[in-house]
Amino acid sequence: MRITTVGCGYLGAVYAASMASIGHEVLGLDVDQKKIDNLAAGIPPFHEPGFDELLREALDTGRLTFSTDYSLAADYEAHVICVGTPQQVDSARADLTYVHAAVDSLIPHLQDHHVVLGRSTVPVGTAEALVQRLRDAGVKSPLAWNPEFLREGFAIEDTLRPDRIVYGLPEDPAEAARARKVLDGMYATMLEADTPLVVGNYATAELVKVSANSFLATKISFINAVAEVCEATGADVSVIAEAIGLDDRIGPKFLRAGIGFGGGCLPKDIRAFMARAGELGVTEALAFLREVDHVNNRRRDHVVNMTRKALGGSFTDKRIAVLGAAFKPNSDDTRQSPALYIASKLSGRGADVVVTDPAANSRVHAERPNLAVAEDAYAAATGADVVLLLTEWDEFKQLDPVKLREVVGTPHMIDGRNVLDPAQWREAGWTYQSMGRP
Ligand code: UGA
């Protein structure tokens, strides 16, 4: 199939290279010339395990090209909208500027036999509005919604071997059949491998995505709320998570208590979902998501308070080492990162904060010049009055407490992700605290 991806950020770039790797002819389009030049030269604009190789291999096949020239889209048949839908600056709603701009830049080049596919995460009702936009411009191409479910850190695996594929098809049977034929062609290898296919209308497909992310966020906040109760009772949240996770109706995943969820998806998606419910007159239906958001924010502030107590009540002249800045390991993404939020709060309160992250150091340096950045955990922890582990990178999980103790000022560890072995750290002479564990 001949496919364009409109938008070459995380989603678009991974999707473009993945689709080329399974045999399609893919053109990645973006308005950012520098990003396009880099991708065309095989230089990924973000850290994603395996993406460097996949990109280079796909470019080598000659099936993957990148351009800022949208008129090239005329020679392709499926156009996949992959642009971001961040939270609006002054409200909880999703900002659809990029989605509208993507469709508008395609419009002059669309032909009747083309199909437009939406992959971005959007508020329910967006696809319907985009069809209107296309029809107002005299475009006859059908539109289908085909949400993505990739996780950063596993983006290639999730794109090439998804848990499920979802089609949101137009109501008109002829249009639906045209869109479906193109989608089936694009995903032929995955469908042949028995990937479950779920088909619904536009609203259903749009809601599948935000429902999935809201459920995941709820699961995390649920266990973090239980962690708060554990802290008041001396119970151990990781044992509770293990025990309830053994019930296969609950399952063990996304029950890791800690400093909560961040990133470019879960926080903004639950807020946009609530905002959309309000517009639709069903505010109450999603009122619980406000609590999910509150629990999440409370865990971050809890770590700031724990740190203040660990330092005897004052941040003045205190050095704090923060291990981790990305919102999760195997990523350099610092959007809505709980680690970076905590580091900035501590620095704002007057502490001398030194951050280190295996992939996000340069981002921290550029985005938060008030924070000192160190090469590795040992450099960050040198002379520290307290050490905070806030992103669970393997290299932090494997730290040797005996060696680290030699460089710190005070051996006090606050493990915001519950990934270290309390007994091992205490035996090595550390005061060890974690989240919802005695
Ligand atoms: C999330 C969803 O998991 C994907 O399915 C979805 O496609 C994607 O958003 C998206 O909308 O594009 P992602 O943002 O990459 O993916 O990150 P997650 O793996 O979901 O982690 C989100 C946050 O939750 C991280 O900060 C992580 O540290 C935290 N988390 C996760 C916990 O605190 N506890 C857990 O048990 C699991």
Side-chain angles (χ1 to χ4, degrees), residues 177-413:
R178 279 165 61 203
R180 183 165 184 152
K181 192 165 169 241
V182 169
L183 283 160
D184 285 349
M186 288 166 63
Y187 298 122
T189 50
M190 299 167 208
L191 295 172
E192 277 157 23
D194 286 335
T195 304
L197 172 65
V198 183
V199 182
N201 60 16
Y202 289 154
T204 307
E206 290 165 326
L207 283 173
V208 166
K209 175 58 193 277
V210 282
S211 303
N213 276 4
S214 298
F215 190 81
L216 294 171
T218 303
K219 227 178 156 187
I220 299 167
S221 278
F222 170 81
I223 202 66
N224 281 332
V226 174
E228 290 187 0
V229 181
C230 287
E231 279 154 14
T233 56
D236 186 331
V237 74
S238 16
V239 178
I240 295 174
E242 185 191 348
I244 64 173
L246 287 166
D247 180 336
D248 66 7
R249 293 170 302 173
I250 297 174
K253 292 184 183 160
F254 270 65
L255 282 181
R256 280 179 287 113
I259 53 171
F261 57 83
C265 303
L266 301 194
K268 64 112 176 149
D269 286 352
I270 59 168
R271 290 173 199 152
F273 198 14
M274 284 187 273
R276 186 69 186 125
E279 290 167 358
L280 293 165
V282 286
T283 305
E284 290 299 304
L286 299 183
F288 73 96
L289 286 179
R290 198 164 304 285
E291 208 46 51
V292 167
D293 207 8
H294 286 163
V295 172
N296 197 47
N297 292 332
R298 243 185 356 247
R299 295 318 276 166
R300 304 169 173 205
D301 290 329
H302 175 64
V303 172
V304 174
N305 289 334
M306 274 172 93
T307 310
R308 186 176 44 76
K309 281 193 198 133
L311 294 172
S314 163
F315 293 111
T316 314
D317 295 329
K318 293 290 165 40
R319 187 179 162 102
I320 303 172
V322 170
L323 311 185
F327 83 105
K328 68 178 199 181
N330 302 314
S331 167
D332 63 346
D333 195 342
T334 52
R335 285 176 295 170
Q336 294 279 323
S337 164
L340 210 45
Y341 171 94
I342 293 166
S344 297
K345 263 274 150 79
L346 295 169
S347 159
R349 303 249 169 111
D352 173 13
V353 180
V354 188
V355 178
T356 186
D357 189 283
N361 271 355
S362 53
R363 266 189 215 279
V364 178
H365 195 65
E367 289 165 17
R368 309 283 168 110
N370 56 318
L371 297 172
V373 176
E375 193 56 31
D376 61 21
Y378 290 95
T382 300
D385 296 293
V386 61
V387 180
L388 274 52
L389 193 165
L390 300 183
T391 312
E392 68 277 33
W393 285 91
D394 279 347
E395 67 179 73
F396 299 152
K397 291 201 275 194
Q398 286 151 13
L399 277 170
D400 178 347
V402 177
K403 263 179 79 185
L404 198 67
R405 197 189 154 167
E406 285 164 14
V407 302
V408 293
T410 310
H412 193 135
M413 168 64 77

